[in-house]
Amino acid sequence: MSLPELKKGTTIYALLKEAGMELQDWPHANYPRQNMRWAWIEGDIVVMNIWMHKVESPAAPEGSYVTRYISRGQGHVGEETDRIYQAVIERNLPVQVILHKEKNSNLRVLDSVQWSAEYEPSTGEITLTRGKPVRYIDQKGSVDSTSDSEESPAVKRSRKLREMAMVRSSGTCELCGKKGFRTRNGAIFAEVHHIVALKDEGPDELSNLIVLCPDDHRRAHHGDDAVELQQAFVKIRNTKNGVMATGS
């Protein structure tokens, strides 16, 4: 989906109201055309200004628009904006954006598509991606199968399977239903477990994988009910997918 066409003369105030904000503490209530902020947060509503020349177009038809900003260290407004970046990650909030042609231009529009955020705490850089792509991480690290890192075919295949398991469960524990937590960089963390361990000749296949919260994963390895849990995992796989016929 392409970016919306910019409109002339629409005020920031009007676009923030369009985004659903009440704006009771709007700092320029008497002069709503003025704008002295780069981002706003009100309850669970977040709106950020972005500029068209900083938006990267998708590299492929199925790709997404991306933009990056660092506000840390840029005075009071920058620090205030950085705190909003951190709140977005801590509270797992979607972002609405006001697209601008350029600074001091009156061409702008509120994008109807929400953007998702990732944040690098060490640098303060926020990456905004149009749409809602979800990134996952497990006990072995990133499960992003598009990684450019040099890995053996077996390692790449294992990463892809872990990614498929995480996507299948949406990062939620398939035993207790606890949702994975959001990490500092915006990825969702849960743990991927082999129902029948590889050392016991269990297959490295999607049908032999289950996503668990850290507590249930430790139970599966060290609990006195580990055998019963394994049987429960097999039942879950049979019920959800019908692909795992046996288990030990």
Side-chain angles (χ1 to χ4, degrees):
M1 181 185 293
S2 60
L3 295 174
E5 182 177 352
L6 302 182
K7 300 176 182 179
K8 185 176 182 180
T10 307
T11 65
I12 297 290
Y13 182 88
L15 294 177
L16 293 175
K17 294 287 285 187
E18 183 181 335
M21 289 186 166
E22 295 293 333
L23 298 178
Q24 294 179 355
D25 65 342
W26 178 251
H28 305 290
N30 295 324
Y31 303 96
R33 291 181 179 273
Q34 296 187 34
N35 164 41
M36 297 298 291
R37 295 182 181 179
W38 300 340
W40 299 261
I41 184 168
E42 184 181 285
D44 290 337
I45 301 174
V46 177
V47 182
M48 296 184 187
N49 285 325
I50 67 173
W51 284 267
M52 294 292 290
H53 72 277
K54 295 198 66 173
V55 177
E56 302 172 15
S57 297
E62 67 275 12
S64 301
Y65 291 92
V66 175
T67 190
R68 297 174 177 83
Y69 290 90
I70 297 176
S71 295
R72 183 185 298 172
Q74 300 190 50
H76 172 72
V77 175
E79 296 303 324
E80 180 182 69
T81 302
D82 188 67
R83 286 192 289 272
I84 293 176
Y85 293 170
Q86 295 178 51
V88 166
I89 299 303
E90 291 169 0
R91 296 166 58 187
N92 191 21
L93 299 175
V95 176
Q96 298 184 71
V97 306
I98 297 175
L99 292 158
H100 297 257
K101 179 177 176 59
E102 56 191 17
K103 289 185 178 180
N104 301 319
S105 169
N106 64 352
L107 290 173
R108 59 181 71 94
V109 69
L110 179 72
D111 192 0
S112 61
V113 177
Q114 293 183 331
W115 295 54
S116 59
E118 290 183 74
Y119 181 76
E120 176 49 58
S122 63
T123 63
E125 181 178 69
I126 193 167
T127 300
L128 299 174
T129 303
R130 194 171 190 246
K132 292 187 175 181
V134 179
R135 300 180 186 274
Y136 298 101
I137 185 171
D138 69 1
Q139 71 276 17
K140 294 183 179 179
S142 172
V143 299
D144 182 4
S145 61
T146 63
S147 172
D148 294 330
S149 59
E150 295 183 4
E151 298 172 327
S152 69
V155 171
K156 286 185 177 181
R157 181 175 181 278
S158 176
R159 184 192 295 270
K160 178 62 177 178
L161 289 171
R162 286 156 47 217
E163 179 184 44
M164 293 170 67
M166 291 285 255
V167 170
R168 180 180 62 190
S169 73
S170 299
T172 297
C173 179
E174 296 182 85
L175 183 66
C176 72
K178 184 177 181 180
K179 294 183 179 297
F181 64 83
R182 183 75 65 166
T183 64
R184 289 186 299 173
N185 68 358
I188 293 175
F189 181 92
E191 300 191 0
V192 180
H193 173 69
H194 284 87
I195 297 173
V196 180
L198 297 178
K199 66 181 180 61
D200 295 328
E201 299 186 357
D204 194 18
E205 301 286 350
L206 183 61
S207 59
N208 190 39
L209 297 179
I210 190 165
V211 173
L212 301 172
C213 65
D215 284 346
D216 285 336
H217 195 193
R218 296 299 167 270
R219 271 182 67 198
H221 283 284
H222 308 295
D224 60 6
D225 59 346
V227 174
E228 290 81 0
L229 282 176
Q230 186 184 57
Q231 294 171 349
F233 299 156
V234 171
K235 186 176 181 179
I236 289 169
R237 282 278 64 79
N238 283 336
T239 301
K240 292 187 175 181
N241 298 337
V243 295
M244 183 91 180
T246 62
S248 58

